Amino acid sequence: MTTNILLAGFGGQGILFAGKLLAYIGMQQDKQVSWLPSYGPEMRGGTCNCSVVLSDAPVGSPIVLKPDVLIAMNKPSFVKYEPAVVPGGKLFADSGLIDIRSERTDITEYALPASVMASDEGLPGLLNMILLGKVIAELDLADDATVLAALRKCIPPRKADLLEANRKAIALGKSS
Amino acid sequence: MAEKVLMKGNEAIAEAAVAAGCRHYFGYPITPQTEIAAYMAKRMPKIGGTFLQAESEVAAINMVAGAAAAGVRTMTSSSSPGVALKSEGISYIAGMDIPALVVNIMRAGPGLGGIQPSQGDYWQCVKGGGHGDYRNIVLAPSGVQEMYDFTKLAFDLADKYRMCAMILSDGVLGQMMEPVAVSASDAPPFCADGKPWALTGTKGARKPNIINSLYIEPDTLEVLLDKRYAEKYAACEANEVRWDEFLTDDAEIVVTAYGAPARIARSAVTAARAKGIKAGLLRPITLWPFPKVPLAQLAETAKAFVCVELSKGQMIDDIRLAIECKRPVSLCTRTGGNVPSPEEILTAIENAAKEAV
Amino acid sequence: MAVVFEKPKGLTDAPLHYCPGCTHGIVHRLVAEALDSLGITEKAVGVAPVGCAVFAYNYFNCDMAQAAHGRAPAVATGIKRANPANIVFTYQGDGDLAAIGTAETVHAAARGENITIIFINNAIYGMTGGQMAPTTLPEQVTQTSPYGRDVTVAGYPVRVSELLATLDGPAYIERVSVDSVKNVRKAAAAIRKAFQYQSEGKGFSLIEVVSTCPTNWGMNPVKALAWLREHMLPYYPLGVYRDKGAAQGGADA
């Protein structure tokens, strides 16, 4: 089985990091994984997206054009990529930042006010992890131990103090 | 087995170079390969190596030529427009018979083009690029593990044959992360002891070494070229051809692709098989020397070939030459920085299958 | 019998190909003598340019590389960075150093690269048969400035020593000439000092040697030397343009 995931939003929202965590979760499960960022001028503050592929077979194209799972963190990304989600796919959107909903009936939308939750819970900048928690729960992607192990791979030792906040944010997303 | 780490293709190249004993990197910033330079800038000072940001691509390749002449493992990396500037130096490296690694993380051209992936430098890198008769060993990785493995291989081949080895890759592979099994990276710096021709000073122990590409007498130069082709380049063609085949045993439609498109083509081949089309994939790993023999063999049984490349038909010439135009070869291409989807390649396979009946 | 004069060990036995009266031979000898007297010939690595001195690799009795046109400072940088214990020098003419190789020259100097450049300024492209060089004087007639260098069209000559002396990187820059015995002696001392500085790790050194090209100037050697004194030296004043060693010693450079 292959899961094509596309994460999209503004630069600075932690899109690449969230993608990396997904890739490490896949690695913990001995899956084949790839992670591909958009690159170039858009890295300097504009839109940003990241393709992650988790698969039981060698990854073919690392470029996700038709996502099974779309994680949208701003409205332009929602507008751009929502039509590309494959039928039967899942769409995760930060409803705190995106004031529209999908009208498609062939996909499942999970709207979560992750940005609002992040500021309410004192987890600034962690809307990416809250959304990812929701993704992990809805896709039944991994247990807590696997997620923690993956987090440890992603967070360098010098930033170890951020581990707990990230874990908390993921748990918040999972339970909402 | 060593634990795998998630690594960008560009980082894998840099890490592999260090593991291969390279301690001298010279470069100039250009997207989408700058991670290699950034990695080296961080790493080299800590392991007693040299990272030097040159004033230009031209200077960088000539610094590489100097360091190579002095007997150390050395490299530069760039992207298409920068590699064009390096072509002069690459020609000199060929003429001087010295080993070096040049990495090209291709972007779209011509001119400034764009910064998204491309394979438009196939001719530039595989056919020479610089002036004069010469060859480079050109390796085309198709994943991040191969970016790592082929970098080490490229240094070995460069040293073995005293010539320039190139990694020809693209923006997708440079930027993407995949799990990589890395070997111990504490290899000692490669030293000139095994290179008696190197410029290290005579130390009063031998006659001066001269590293030169100038031979003013036509007969002298011709003899040298003949020898280089008959010995060095012929040995490469005899011993160093590398390729990968997938489901080609009974293939009627043979897809050819290298680099990132090859992995997409592999998905398309699998999809074609599911639809009952006997498709297979031949992926050249060395673009020079080119896998002519396996292609010619496949041409005996296959009905048609599909060449997938991110260029307007460059590698396709070599496919046609290899199979002596015995079978039709169609081109499946996206350019400008675009990459074909598996579906687009599948359609090309289906069309080839229809026409081949 | 006492030996009063002999060929430096730093030169090979290969006969020089230079034209009669050309000053390259003198400068080759000065470089070789400097290497010998400092005992560094055996660890020297030279880089030959493209230009009349392209065959320098046949003449210096040390390891030699031959670089692409203008790239000698980059090649020398690679050699020096690979083996910092070697003494690395380039030997370049004005077209090579001050036209096509300007970037490599300026940036090697700016980095304070610990190499020595011997720069032959004879105001003309010699090997290709006498075309206008970046150092060709205003009004000077060459094959490609047949009516004299018109500065409104071809711009002005480049004063390399002065230009590089504006940088912080160089340790030693001196302009010398080999037009007279006195000046040859001064040039010998300057070249030796440059290599001395490199040996001491002081950094980048460049010795600009104002030279002649009797063949392409269309003069006999004696007249060429007179022309050098009359026309070149006023435009290219001799002297020390940078001396970090002297500055450290408190003397005024």
Side-chain angles (χ1 to χ4, degrees), chain A residues 43-140:
Chain A
M43 278 167 64
R44 337 276 183 231
T47 59
C48 170
N49 72 64
C50 173
S51 296
V52 174
V53 181
L54 308 177
S55 182
D56 299 321
V59 175
S61 179
I63 303 162
V64 176
L65 300 169
K66 295 175 182 169
D68 299 305
V69 177
L70 172 65
I71 303 170
M73 300 198 202
N74 69 5
K75 191 169 169 181
S77 302
F78 183 98
V79 170
K80 187 172 178 187
Y81 297 115
E82 180 261 353
V85 177
V86 298
K90 293 180 165 68
L91 190 169
F92 296 84
D94 184 336
S95 56
L97 296 170
I98 303 166
D99 59 3
I100 51 172
R101 299 289 296 267
S102 175
E103 291 173 4
R104 287 178 60 178
T105 54
D106 61 343
I107 63 172
T108 310
E109 180 178 4
Y110 302 89
L112 194 69
S115 49
V116 179
M117 292 161 73
S119 35
D120 286 353
E121 299 293 326
L123 298 165
L126 288 176
L127 74 95
N128 60 339
M129 289 295 111
I130 296 174
L131 268 179
L132 206 61
K134 185 68 176 168
V135 173
I136 290 165
E138 296 299 336
L139 296 181
D140 196 14

Side-chain angles (χ1 to χ4, degrees), chain B residues 19-340:
Chain B
C22 172
R23 293 294 183 274
H24 293 83
Y25 174 93
F26 305 91
Y28 187 85
I30 183 170
T31 304
Q33 67 77 46
T34 303
E35 288 87 356
I36 301 177
Y39 196 96
M40 291 303 199
K42 243 185 193 174
R43 194 78 199 276
M44 284 302 188
K46 296 191 172 168
I47 53 174
T50 294
F51 164 83
L52 189 56
Q53 182 170 322
E55 60 271 25
S56 68
E57 300 290 6
V58 176
I61 189 69
N62 282 285
M63 290 172 184
V64 165
V72 299
R73 279 197 161 172
T74 181
M75 70 177 289
T76 186
S77 60
S78 189
S79 182
S80 309
V83 175
L85 286 170
K86 289 184 197 296
S87 294
E88 175 199 60
I90 294 170
S91 169
Y92 277 77
I93 285 168
M96 296 190 288
D97 291 306
I98 52 176
L101 173 62
V102 175
V103 175
N104 182 356
I105 307 295
M106 288 182 280
R107 56 187 259 183
L112 214 43
I115 56 169
Q116 299 302 320
S118 162
Q119 294 181 325
D121 299 352
Y122 182 91
W123 282 339
Q124 178 184 238
C125 292
V126 176
K127 305 297 181 186
H131 59 285
D133 283 312
Y134 72 94
R135 290 297 191 178
N136 296 319
I137 293 169
V138 183
L139 293 160
S142 169
V144 180
Q145 183 70 54
E146 287 189 348
M147 295 283 253
Y148 186 86
D149 295 340
F150 291 178
T151 298
K152 298 176 88 171
L153 174 64
F155 274 117
D156 289 342
L157 293 177
D159 275 335
K160 183 176 175 187
Y161 295 101
R162 281 176 66 181
M163 59 191 283
C164 180
M166 295 187 86
I167 299 282
L168 190 63
S169 188
D170 59 64
V172 172
L173 293 169
Q175 294 295 323
M176 75 183 286
M177 285 206 283
E178 282 186 310
V180 179
V182 302
S183 49
S185 66
D186 51 355
F190 203 86
C191 70
D193 290 354
K195 300 181 176 178
W197 46 264
L199 306 181
T200 54
T202 63
K203 300 181 175 74
R206 58 162 170 78
K207 286 184 173 168
N209 285 337
I210 294 171
I211 291 187
N212 173 37
S213 64
L214 177 65
Y215 299 90
I216 215 83
E217 287 297 328
D219 288 347
T220 309
L221 183 54
E222 186 178 43
V223 166
L224 180 74
L225 277 177
D226 285 349
K227 189 166 146 48
R228 199 179 280 145
Y229 271 79
E231 293 175 7
K232 179 186 295 202
Y233 297 161
C236 286
E237 294 199 281
N239 305 321
E240 309 302 345
V241 180
R242 288 168 170 81
W243 74 97
D244 187 31
E245 291 184 48
F246 176 62
L247 304 179
T248 48
D249 283 349
D250 61 343
E252 293 177 348
I253 308 298
V254 173
V255 180
T256 60
Y258 70 97
R263 50 195 297 154
I264 306 171
R266 190 184 162 104
S267 299
V269 164
T270 304
R273 286 273 171 176
K275 288 189 154 191
I277 300 171
K278 286 184 178 172
L281 171 71
L282 185 141
R283 171 170 75 95
I285 288 173
T286 48
L287 298 175
W288 193 88
F290 198 69
K292 294 177 201 168
V293 173
L295 280 163
Q297 284 167 354
L298 288 176
E300 299 298 323
T301 50
K303 290 178 177 169
F305 287 73
V306 176
C307 183
V308 183
E309 51 180 300
L310 306 182
S311 41
K312 299 299 281 183
Q314 297 191 17
M315 184 173 77
I316 195 169
D317 288 356
D318 283 337
I319 305 293
R320 287 190 177 120
L321 283 171
I323 65 169
E324 295 174 344
C325 295
K326 283 179 182 162
R327 304 282 178 244
V329 187
S330 56
L331 179 66
C332 174
T333 174
R334 292 297 305 273
T335 57
N338 289 310
V339 176

Side-chain angles (χ1 to χ4, degrees), chain C residues 16 18 53-54 66 87 92 111 119 178 180 202 228 231-232 244:
Chain C
L16 302 184
Y18 300 111
V54 68
Q66 201 289 312
I87 298 296
Q92 303 173 256
R111 286 193 301 269
F119 167 40
V178 287
S180 65
K202 282 198 169 78
L228 178 156
H231 296 279
M232 287 189 72
K244 271 190 183 170

